[in-house]
Structures are given as structure tokens and as C-alpha cells.
Amino acid sequence: MERRPSHDDLTAFGFAVAVVAAAVVCVAGFWAGGGPAWLASGVVTLLVTAGIGLLNPLMFAWPYRKWNGLARRFASVAQRFTMAVTFYLVFTIVSVVGARFARNVADRTGWNPKTTAELKSQVGYVPPGGEADDWTGQLRR
């Protein structure tokens, strides 16, 4: 069951509508070549719409419900679109690119023994023929 929007929810929605309406009026006035009047009309639109949202936020109850209904539908479509792109595009590309990596088929594992250069970089390495030939020889000292 959906809860009724609170006074704060409607006030915040009213301020958001005011900012969007003022931006639309400013852009439309600037695009139409209204001179400096486009800025004044945007400010007036902002103040009037925000004033309505502050003084009587219940006027925004119906648009608030409609907006949230559209937002839920959009979120559902956006989620399906994102999942489809991920599944059909990303996974396909990753599987094609991943299939090109060289695999060691002889022993069916991805393990490769360390080379001598990697062993020399480890702490406590003793070269072959030295005091200890492996790590267990170091423990016997």
C-alpha cells in the first residue's frame, strides 16, 4: 500500500518543479531572442512556483503522484534495458575476447611454475648448489 506524500515531500517536489520550470523559461526566452527579459522571466517563474510550493504544497499532490508513477515505469524499463545490454553485449564481447587467451591444454590447469627470476626476487632464496637447495633446507639449519 502506497503512503501519502508528506508535507515535506510535496514542498521539496514544489521546489524541484520551480527550478525546472525556471530553467525551461530561461532557455526558451534566450532561444527566442528575448534579450535580458529571459532572465527576469525565469526569476519570476522560480519565485512564483517556489512560493506556491512553500505556501500550499498540496497543489503539487496530483503532479507528485503522476511523476512517481512515471518514475516507476521508467525505472522498470531502464532496468530491463541495462540487463539486456549487459547480457547480450557485454557478456558476448567478454566471452569472445576471453576465448582468445592462450590456454595450457597439456595439464588442463592454469598453473605455471615460477621462473628463476621470480624465485630470486623472493626473500631467503638460496641459489641451487648453495647451502640449501629448497625452502626445507633453510628450515633445517
Side-chain angles (χ1 to χ4, degrees):
M1 181 179 236
E2 187 175 332
R3 71 173 180 89
R4 289 188 157 183
S6 69
H7 183 272
D8 294 337
D9 292 339
L10 293 175
T11 303
F13 183 73
F15 283 137
V17 167
V19 170
V20 170
V24 167
V25 167
C26 285
V27 168
F30 180 76
W31 183 67
W38 62 267
L39 183 60
S41 62
V43 170
V44 168
T45 303
L46 177 71
L47 292 176
V48 168
T49 311
I52 292 171
L54 187 61
L55 298 175
N56 190 8
L58 289 177
M59 288 186 71
F60 288 105
W62 182 78
Y64 181 81
R65 284 193 298 272
K66 292 299 176 188
W67 175 262
N68 282 334
L70 289 173
R72 279 190 215 98
R73 288 187 188 111
F74 175 77
S76 175
V77 170
Q79 179 184 16
R80 287 188 184 122
F81 176 76
T82 304
M83 294 297 289
V85 166
T86 302
F87 184 75
Y88 291 111
L89 188 64
V90 174
F91 287 168
T92 303
I93 291 172
V94 167
S95 68
V96 169
V97 171
R100 294 183 184 183
F101 289 130
R103 294 190 177 114
N104 189 357
V105 213
D107 58 2
R108 302 251 188 252
T109 68
W111 182 81
N112 294 321
K114 290 186 177 183
T115 62
T116 308
E118 290 171 336
L119 285 174
K120 286 182 180 176
S121 67
Q122 294 178 358
V123 178
Y125 172 75
V126 179
E131 192 174 302
D133 288 336
D134 57 0
W135 66 275
T136 55
Q138 292 179 3
L139 294 176
R140 283 184 242 149
R141 285 195 248 187

